[in-house]
Amino acid sequence: GTPFIQWQKGLELAKGKYIWIAESDDFASNDFLEKQLEILENNTAIGICFSASSWVDIDNNIIETPEHEAANWLKTGNQLIIEEFTVGCPIYNASSAVFKRELVSKTNFDLITQFKFTGDWLFWVQIAKDTQVYHLGERLNFFRQHTQNVSTESNKLGLQFSEGYKVVNYILANHTVSFFKKRKIMAKWAAKVKANHSISAKKALELLPEEVQFWYWLLPIFNFFR
């Protein structure tokens, strides 16, 4: 019922200094580990390093290269949690990341394994706290897209909203987020509803707090005055 039980088993068996969750339908360039580990070894404050991904079809043809992933950057985990993990999961593909095994001690798998789809999102939130995260803009990872993968099926069920917002609630309960930042988060979730094509906006809004619906109806006004 959830892939994260297998994550837990694998992590418990791991003995090395670093961990790479190499998911079975993805693949990586030959120098993926070399370049990721160089960053981790040269800056001990960095606990997580992940690279940009090229999206590929079942025949390994590149079908998308998200432009927003092209830059290198370094952020504190807490900064990343508040700025990005409250809206989505920037490490959307586990195969793109390498991280220190010692960070796994911060995870609560009793909670993570309650999720079918966004358990990885919560996992990264839990291990990113109090470390630094480096993003490598070079596309070293290849993220498989096909009609039977977990993401495709879960999006059809609306789990990116119902489960995703549970992760946001976890962040809001465990991190200091200002009043105005919370309002901005709600507005961004309204924009996510507007942009989604997996389920109807009505169904998506039913899965989210009422305030998101308020911002959803205000979005056309904001767009008009841009």
Side-chain angles (χ1 to χ4, degrees), residues 182-194:
K182 287 179 182 177
R183 306 292 75 78
K184 190 174 181 179
I185 291 167
M186 297 293 180
K188 287 185 175 181
W189 273 86
K192 283 171 69 74
V193 172
K194 185 74 74 173

Side-chain angles (χ1 to χ4, degrees), residues 186 190 202 205-206 208-219:
M186 297 293 180
K202 180 177 183 295
L205 289 170
E206 288 173 352
L208 296 166
E210 288 185 5
E211 186 180 345
V212 175
Q213 184 172 342
F214 168 79
W215 288 106
Y216 179 84
W217 295 115
L218 284 181
L219 281 176

Side-chain angles (χ1 to χ4, degrees), residues 42-148:
N42 288 338
N43 188 335
T44 57
I46 297 173
I48 304 169
C49 179
F50 71 109
S51 73
S53 295
S54 295
W55 297 20
V56 296
D57 62 18
I58 58 173
D59 298 313
N60 294 345
N61 299 308
I62 295 176
I63 57 176
E64 188 170 351
T65 52
E67 292 183 8
H68 72 277
E69 297 184 68
N72 295 340
W73 51 255
L74 174 65
K75 295 183 180 181
T76 67
N78 288 319
Q79 177 188 8
L80 192 63
I81 288 168
I82 301 302
E83 291 181 356
E84 297 195 38
F85 278 104
T86 48
V87 181
C89 184
I91 311 176
Y92 62 83
N93 179 20
S95 298
S96 70
V98 179
F99 57 95
K100 290 181 178 178
R101 183 170 62 90
E102 65 189 46
L103 297 175
V104 176
S105 63
K106 299 181 179 182
T107 57
N108 177 357
F109 266 94
D110 288 339
L111 183 57
I112 291 170
T113 53
Q114 294 177 22
F115 292 79
K116 292 183 178 181
F117 179 51
T118 60
D120 57 334
W121 186 347
L122 180 57
F123 173 83
W124 298 120
V125 167
Q126 291 184 351
I127 72 168
K129 182 181 179 182
D130 302 324
T131 190
Q132 293 186 10
V133 181
Y134 189 89
H135 176 262
L136 185 61
E138 190 173 353
R139 299 185 190 278
L140 303 174
N141 175 258
F142 297 86
F143 182 37
R144 183 85 59 193
Q145 296 293 295
H146 51 80
T147 57
Q148 300 302 315

